[in-house]
């Protein structure tokens, strides 16, 4: 099939290869860049289906290696390019981009920690794989070219990487000067281009290099020499000529890394070339890494190590759920996405330029929730890092820079910052059984130290201490909904934070009881009662719960008395999750939410969207109507609606909400040319009416949706939920699903769980042939295996 960039019919951009754990993109011109994260802790990269992307070492804010134009045209450039020049002058790329030379066959396969391109042109085949070795300090470009023609072919092959200033923002602020404080030289001893960085006041000056296997026939460090005048990466002069100019930039400039090879292939013969982009703490270490990956055996070992890592990572939870798109998400792509989100937080994507102000306290803590199950040691380290930035009074900053002498300016505080910590730590203790973790001592940001337990209780006490006239937490600047700051005033109170607090406190109460802290149990009980009373006395609007309360006569946000933003999704879902909705109010508010907010593309954040702030006749100073928090479909908030429906036992409704927002489902429903984002990874939000782009997704990968969707799918819909006492199995399935199997590793043991579902609420659990009382599975010694049958009839 010719690939010339022609438009594709609906649904034909790609497919899942479930056995290979790959998403196969069948045409290079996707609606947006469809990317993959190649990242294992220190070295990181994102690469698109067109080989566009960016690579960094440790973090992309001040240790960026390559340049990427986030808003330029053509989009998704530059990146990681390999050029193949044939003897007749034809130049093509295994990635199709940037030359866009027609190919007979082409595929991009995004896999677990790697991306592969398979291309064929008139009997020449190329396979190009990008990967980052586990715990490595390098990005490998592994190319194999095979000649299936009937005659020998001589090819000129060169790569292209455009170097960036380590501190990307300085390219805008001071390139005119700082370009003179870098240099690019070729080192014949290791056959590598070396990037020397001595920019004034740079946070890092670590060595960076680009090396290649064997001995290249040429190199270029100068972008101008490689590209030529009036050209770009689609038609570089050096490749057209079939030779590199051996240029260096000893006094700075626009540096690139290009190493060229001349290859003659007999019929049936193949040639392998590996380029390595790496970073290190010293030049001696950089040379060691460069030389290491010149050995193809080391590259093969890195590829095998990557497979082993992801087999182990994904093997902790697998299901044979019959719904193929959902099975692919639960087994592979959703947990895979949590890894990128865990390590990258909200720093860099094709829509985020990597200029973050550090790690966001509440977001990073929530990102740890799924990590507690999937990779507990890393979760523990991250939890400790976050808690070390909590203050002694229990408050927490919006964000922080680890180990930085000066922390970033915080702006308006978020009243919910510390409320997520008990939820996450509970999940860690539940997964590992390590109650001793609560006694671990950690410093506070502003001096002194306390145990993990004291950090958690301190955060809860601080929120409870800062209450308003109605007895609910003061909003201060904002709560989880960043946009309520636009409606804030002194003394405003957050209904959602009170509900968050109650859920977190119930989990904390369980931990306190296990630790014998009866005074804390009693205090939590009293505060739960007080918040429950206040919420139902002051936040209930007659048919649903309000969002923000004011101390004067101002109409609350989320009230039917308002002309706009009358009802919000969050306070309805959290009324159920928190257990504070009394009587039948939980069902009532969720039903009203469904009637007023639900749509075929998800549950809207609020209705009606606001057209002015604070009133319709005022100027709009926020997202337009139907976008994000202003009436768009905010998918993380939908996660909580799913969780609430599971708690109400309404499996059909929970499944409906969950399934329609699964990326392959929603992309197919609205069409990939409207949805735009990757159909294999969750996005942050979807545009809703009245915006004419209704159904368009925004901000994929680095969003809280990824973590929370995994939690609701595995722990609430499938219902395999860790607790400090052991593994609990309480599925909440739709009537349409009759049989499910789940493979779950838990504290070193393996549980093979079969669920038979006939639509009833009564649950029977049979463990290794014996009927249990309740749904809590007995703990097994590490290494043992259990057969579990759950009958829901």
């Amino acid at each position: 099939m010719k690939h010339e960039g022609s438009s594709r019919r609906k649904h034909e951009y790609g497919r899942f290869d479930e056995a290979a754990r790959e998403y196969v993109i069948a045409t290079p011109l996707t609606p947006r860049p469809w990317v993959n994260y190649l990242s294992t802790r220190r070295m990181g990269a994102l690469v698109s289906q067109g080989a566009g992307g960016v690579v960094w070492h440790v973090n992309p804010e001040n240790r960026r290696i390559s340049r990427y134009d986030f808003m330029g045209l053509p989009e998704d450039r530059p990146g990681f390019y390999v050029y193949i020049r044939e003897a007749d002058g034809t130049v093509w790329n295994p990635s199709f981009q940037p030359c866009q030379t027609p190919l007979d066959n082409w595929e991009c396969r995004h896999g677990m920690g790697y991306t592969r391109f398979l291309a064929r042109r008139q009997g020449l085949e190329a396979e190009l794989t990008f990967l980052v070795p586990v715990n490595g300090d390098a990005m490998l470009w592994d190319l194999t070219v095979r000649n299936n023609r009937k005659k020998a072919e001589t090819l000129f092959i060169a790569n292209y990487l455009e170097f960036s200033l380590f501190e990307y923002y300085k390219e805008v602020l001071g390139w005119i000067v700082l370009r003179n404080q870098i240099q690019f030289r070729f080192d014949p001893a290791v056959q590598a281009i070396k990037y020397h960085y001595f920019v004034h006041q740079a946070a890092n000056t670590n060595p960076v290099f680009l090396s290649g296997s064997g001995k290249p026939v040429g190199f270029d460090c100068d972008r101008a020499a490689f590209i030529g005048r009036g050209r770009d990466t689609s038609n570089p002069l050096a490749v057209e000529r079939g030779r590199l100019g051996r240029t260096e930039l000893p006094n700075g400039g626009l540096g690139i890394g290009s190493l060229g090879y001349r290859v003659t292939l007999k019929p049936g013969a193949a040639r392998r070339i590996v380029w390595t982009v790496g970073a290190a703490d010293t030049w001696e270490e950089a040379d060691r890494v460069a030389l290491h990956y010149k050995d193809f055996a080391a590259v093969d070992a890195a590829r095998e190590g990557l497979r082993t890592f992801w087999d182990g990572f994904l093997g902790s939870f697998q299901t044979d759920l019959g719904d193929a798109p959902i099975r692919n998400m639960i087994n592979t792509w959703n947990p895979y996405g949590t890894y990128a989100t865990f390590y990258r937080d909200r720093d860099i994507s094709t829509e985020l330029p990597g200029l973050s102000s550090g790690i966001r306290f509440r977001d990073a803590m929530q990102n740890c929730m799924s990590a507690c199950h999937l990779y507990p040691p890393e979760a523990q380290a991250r939890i400790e890092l976050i808690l070390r930035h909590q203050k002694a009074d229990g408050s927490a900053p919006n964000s922080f820079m680890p180990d930085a002498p000066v922390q970033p300016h915080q702006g308006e505080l978020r009243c919910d910052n510390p409320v997520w910590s008990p939820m996450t730590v509970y999940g860690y203790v539940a997964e590992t059984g390590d109650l001793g973790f609560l006694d671990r001592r950690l410093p506070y940001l502003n001096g002194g130290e306390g145990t993990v337990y004291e950090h958690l209780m301190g955060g809860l006490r601080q929120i409870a201490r800062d209450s308003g006239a109605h007895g609910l937490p003061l909003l201060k600047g904002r709560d989880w909904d960043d946009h309520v700051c636009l409606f804030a005033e002194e003394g405003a109170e957050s209904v959602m934070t009170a509900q968050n607090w109650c859920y977190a406190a119930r989990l904390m109460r369980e931990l306190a009881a296990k630790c014998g802290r009866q005074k804390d149990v009693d205090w939590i009980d009293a505060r739960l009662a007080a918040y429950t009373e206040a919420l139902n006395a002051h936040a209930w609007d007659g048919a649903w719960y309000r969002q923000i309360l004011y101390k004067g006569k101002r109409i609350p946000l989320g009230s039917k008395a308002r002309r706009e933003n009358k009802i919000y999704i969050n306070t309805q879902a959290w009324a159920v999750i928190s257990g504070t909705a009394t009587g039948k109010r939980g069902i009532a508010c969720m039903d009203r939410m469904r009637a007023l907010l639900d749509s075929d593309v998800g549950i809207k954040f609020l209705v009606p969207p606001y057209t002015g702030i604070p009133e319709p006749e005022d100027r709009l100073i926020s997202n337009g109507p139907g976008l994000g928090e202003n009436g768009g479909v905010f998918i993380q908030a939908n996660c909580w609606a799913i969780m609430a429906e599971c708690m109400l036992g309404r499996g059909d409704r929970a499944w409906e909400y969950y399934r329609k927002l699964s990326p392959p489902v929603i992309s197919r429903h609205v069409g990939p040319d409207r949805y735009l984002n990757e159909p294999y990874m969750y996005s942050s939000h979807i545009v809703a009416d009245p915006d004419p782009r209704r159904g368009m997704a925004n901000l994929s990968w680095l969003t809280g949706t990824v973590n929370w969707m995994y939690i609701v799918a595995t722990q609430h819909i499938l219902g395999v939920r860790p607790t400090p006492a052991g593994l609990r199995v309480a599925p909440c399935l739709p009537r349409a699903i009759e049989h499910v199997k789940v493979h779950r590793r838990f504290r070193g043991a393996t549980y093979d769980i079969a669920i038979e579902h006939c639509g009833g609420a009564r649950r029977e659990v049979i463990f290794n042939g014996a009927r249990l009382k309740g749904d809590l599975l007995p703990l097994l010694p590490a290494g043992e295996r259990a057969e579990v049958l759950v009958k829901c009839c």
Side-chain angles (χ1 to χ4, degrees):
M1 180 181 293
K2 289 284 185 181
H3 285 274
E4 303 179 20
S6 59
S7 62
R8 304 280 292 180
R9 294 193 304 274
K10 191 176 181 181
H11 314 320
E12 293 186 358
Y13 290 104
R15 60 181 175 84
F16 289 101
D17 184 338
E18 187 170 8
R21 291 177 177 154
E22 294 177 332
Y23 190 83
V24 185
I25 300 172
T27 183
L29 297 184
T30 51
R32 274 183 183 154
W34 287 2
V35 306
N36 192 12
Y37 278 82
L38 319 181
S39 180
T40 53
R41 301 181 181 92
R42 285 172 62 82
M43 199 76 170
L46 67 85
V47 57
S48 76
Q49 87 295 337
V54 58
V55 59
W56 62 88
H57 188 232
V58 182
N59 74 74
E61 184 171 16
N62 56 42
R63 298 181 75 169
R64 190 170 309 201
I65 294 174
S66 70
R67 182 174 289 114
Y68 184 79
D69 191 340
F70 292 88
M71 293 182 289
L73 287 175
E75 69 174 357
D76 190 36
R77 294 190 187 179
F80 316 114
Y81 301 137
V82 170
Y83 298 90
I84 299 175
R85 183 189 184 278
E86 300 183 30
D88 65 359
T90 301
V91 178
W92 55 282
N93 310 101
S95 56
F96 181 73
Q97 300 285 14
C99 291
Q100 299 191 11
T101 303
L103 303 173
D104 298 325
N105 195 34
W106 179 92
E107 282 184 345
C108 170
R109 289 178 167 259
H110 286 321
M112 303 294 100
Y114 66 88
T115 289
R116 288 194 300 152
F117 293 94
L118 304 171
R120 185 176 70 244
R121 183 183 181 277
Q122 298 177 7
L124 285 179
E125 293 183 354
E127 178 176 338
L128 173 63
T129 301
F130 297 109
L131 70 144
V132 172
V134 177
N135 296 325
D137 292 306
M139 177 190 182
L140 306 181
W141 308 15
D142 188 356
L143 173 73
T144 297
V145 179
R146 183 175 300 277
N147 180 17
N148 292 324
R149 295 174 179 173
K150 295 181 179 180
K151 63 183 182 68
E153 293 289 345
T154 298
L155 309 173
F156 175 70
I157 302 173
N159 80 305
Y160 179 86
L161 180 76
E162 192 166 322
F163 291 111
S164 166
L165 290 183
F166 291 2
E167 298 116 318
Y168 171 69
Y169 73 95
K170 288 186 177 179
E171 293 198 356
V172 178
L173 298 178
W175 175 252
I176 188 67
V177 174
L178 302 182
R179 63 184 178 180
N180 304 320
Q181 299 172 15
I182 53 180
Q183 62 180 216
F184 305 90
R185 293 181 180 273
F186 180 76
D187 183 348
V190 288
Q191 297 290 299
I193 291 170
K194 292 186 173 180
Y195 179 10
H196 298 263
Y197 196 84
F198 43 94
V199 167
H200 180 59
Q201 295 182 332
N204 294 282
T205 57
N206 301 66
V208 168
F209 67 89
L210 169 75
S211 62
S213 56
K215 186 175 182 179
V217 297
F219 64 87
D220 262 325
C221 300
D222 185 350
R223 189 180 77 171
F226 180 89
I227 297 293
R229 296 180 184 178
R231 296 168 177 255
D232 57 30
T233 52
S234 69
N235 59 347
L237 180 62
V239 178
E240 182 179 295
R241 289 174 172 171
R243 65 181 186 277
L244 301 182
R246 307 182 72 83
T247 59
E248 296 182 314
L249 290 174
N251 292 310
L254 286 164
I256 65 163
S258 182
L259 299 175
Y261 297 80
R262 199 167 306 282
V263 176
T264 298
L265 296 176
K266 294 180 179 180
R271 172 71 183 271
R272 187 180 186 185
I273 302 169
V274 176
W275 293 270
T276 301
V277 181
D281 294 328
T282 66
W283 279 114
E284 290 75 16
E285 177 65 15
D287 289 351
R288 188 195 68 77
V289 175
L291 293 171
H292 177 71
Y293 289 114
K294 285 179 176 291
D295 183 351
F296 292 152
V299 178
D300 293 338
R303 296 181 68 150
E304 183 59 33
L306 206 58
R307 281 191 288 270
T308 300
F309 173 84
W310 286 109
D311 284 348
F313 181 94
L314 297 172
S316 61
F317 192 106
Q318 291 284 290
T319 178
D320 74 346
L321 190 70
D323 190 319
I326 303 303
R327 186 176 64 243
N328 274 299
M329 291 306 300
I330 294 176
N331 287 345
T332 302
W333 289 94
N334 196 168
Y336 179 62
T338 69
Y339 192 85
T341 304
F342 178 79
Y343 277 105
R344 296 273 50 91
D345 196 35
R346 303 291 187 272
D347 63 2
I348 191 165
S349 72
T350 55
E351 297 179 83
L352 294 167
L355 301 178
S356 66
S357 56
I359 294 175
R360 299 185 185 186
F361 191 98
R362 63 171 190 178
D363 293 342
M365 188 60 84
Q366 291 174 77
N367 291 341
C368 288
M369 290 178 178
S370 52
C372 291
H373 152 52
L374 291 164
Y375 32 105
E378 287 89 342
Q380 177 187 336
R382 181 57 62 93
I383 290 168
E384 291 181 8
L385 173 67
I386 298 167
L387 289 179
R388 285 201 298 268
H389 290 83
Q390 181 176 316
K391 295 181 180 179
D393 66 357
S395 64
N398 296 339
S399 62
F400 60 88
M401 293 289 290
D403 305 317
V406 179
Q407 291 298 320
H409 175 66
Q410 294 303 312
E412 292 179 313
L413 291 176
R414 294 178 170 90
C415 63
D416 69 314
N417 278 337
V419 81
W420 307 97
S421 301
M423 304 181 203
T424 300
V425 173
Y426 177 92
Y428 175 79
V429 172
E431 185 67 32
T432 62
D434 183 12
L435 273 171
F437 177 63
L438 298 174
D439 295 324
R440 186 172 179 84
R441 300 193 69 81
L442 300 173
Y444 292 110
L445 181 63
N446 57 342
E449 65 175 22
T451 64
V452 169
Y453 182 94
E454 289 167 344
H455 278 70
L456 303 183
M457 284 300 301
L460 291 178
R461 290 183 185 277
Q462 179 266 315
I463 293 173
R465 189 168 57 243
D466 295 345
S467 296
H470 300 94
L472 300 179
L474 287 171
L475 179 63
K476 298 180 179 177
R478 61 192 76 188
D479 57 16
W480 180 87
D481 176 6
D482 290 333
H483 284 223
V484 295
C485 68
L486 303 169
F487 299 91
E489 66 178 37
E490 185 178 355
E493 296 161 85
S494 169
V495 174
M496 182 182 178
T497 301
Q499 296 168 332
N500 298 153
W501 190 99
C502 290
Y503 178 67
R506 292 183 196 280
L507 300 178
M508 194 67 208
R509 185 191 189 282
E510 188 177 338
L511 296 178
K514 282 190 169 292
C515 294
R517 305 290 188 98
Q518 189 58 45
K519 287 185 178 180
D520 290 338
V521 170
D522 294 342
W523 179 79
I524 289 172
D525 285 343
R527 291 305 308 171
L528 281 170
Y531 273 150
T532 300
E533 180 180 357
L535 285 165
N536 286 284
H538 304 296
W540 181 248
D541 201 57
W544 59 78
Y545 285 90
R546 298 163 177 162
Q547 182 82 1
I548 300 295
L549 305 183
Y550 301 103
K551 64 180 179 180
K553 295 182 179 180
R554 184 175 174 183
I555 300 173
L557 286 191
S559 170
K560 61 180 179 292
R562 290 189 60 84
R563 289 176 288 171
E564 296 178 337
N565 44 349
K566 293 173 178 284
I567 177 173
Y568 286 72
I569 181 176
N570 282 338
T571 45
Q572 318 323 314
W574 277 97
V576 175
I577 295 169
S578 65
T580 59
T582 56
K584 297 182 179 180
R585 287 182 176 181
I587 292 174
C589 71
M590 291 296 290
D591 286 348
R592 292 306 293 161
M593 180 199 75
R594 180 178 178 84
L596 297 174
L597 299 178
D598 192 25
S599 76
D600 65 314
V601 296
I603 306 168
K604 300 173 187 177
F605 195 77
L606 59 84
V607 295
Y610 40 85
T611 57
I613 296 177
E615 299 299 337
E617 57 270 16
D618 296 314
R619 185 169 65 93
L620 181 63
I621 51 173
S622 177
N623 293 344
L627 298 177
E629 294 92 334
N630 189 13
V633 176
F634 212 98
I635 306 179
Q636 184 173 341
N638 276 248
C639 297
W640 297 325
I642 297 164
M643 186 173 167
E645 291 293 357
C646 288
M647 290 181 167
L648 292 174
R650 303 199 290 195
D652 285 345
R653 194 168 289 185
W655 180 257
E656 176 194 334
Y657 292 156
Y658 170 74
R659 190 180 192 281
K660 71 182 175 184
L661 285 172
S662 181
V665 174
I666 184 68
S667 176
R668 178 171 288 270
H669 172 65
V670 302
D673 292 304
R674 177 171 287 271
Y675 185 72
L676 301 184
N677 275 359
E678 300 94 333
Y680 49 87
M681 190 52 58
Y682 282 104
S683 294
S684 175
H685 49 93
I686 295 171
V687 177
D689 56 90
D691 193 294
R693 298 168 296 175
R694 181 181 179 278
M696 182 182 77
N698 286 302
L699 186 57
S700 59
W701 289 86
L702 304 188
T703 162
T705 302
V706 177
N707 168 76
W708 277 102
M709 275 297 187
Y710 191 70
I711 295 295
V712 298
T714 58
Q715 297 187 18
H716 295 276
I717 293 175
L718 295 176
V720 183
R721 190 156 58 248
T723 75
L727 203 60
R728 189 176 299 278
V729 183
C732 185
L733 296 168
R735 284 170 291 183
I737 295 180
E738 298 179 350
H739 303 283
V740 179
K741 289 185 178 179
V742 171
H743 170 89
R744 176 67 154 90
R745 288 203 305 260
F746 182 68
R747 301 186 191 175
T750 300
Y751 296 79
D752 291 314
I753 303 165
I755 303 171
E756 295 181 358
H757 181 248
C758 14
R762 189 173 63 85
R763 193 177 300 124
E764 182 182 12
V765 181
I766 300 170
F767 182 86
N768 282 342
R771 184 174 287 102
L772 299 181
K773 293 182 179 180
D775 52 21
L776 183 67
L777 305 184
L779 287 170
L780 292 175
E784 291 198 7
R785 196 178 201 100
E787 299 288 335
V788 182
L789 175 61
V790 182
K791 297 181 178 181
C792 304
C793 298

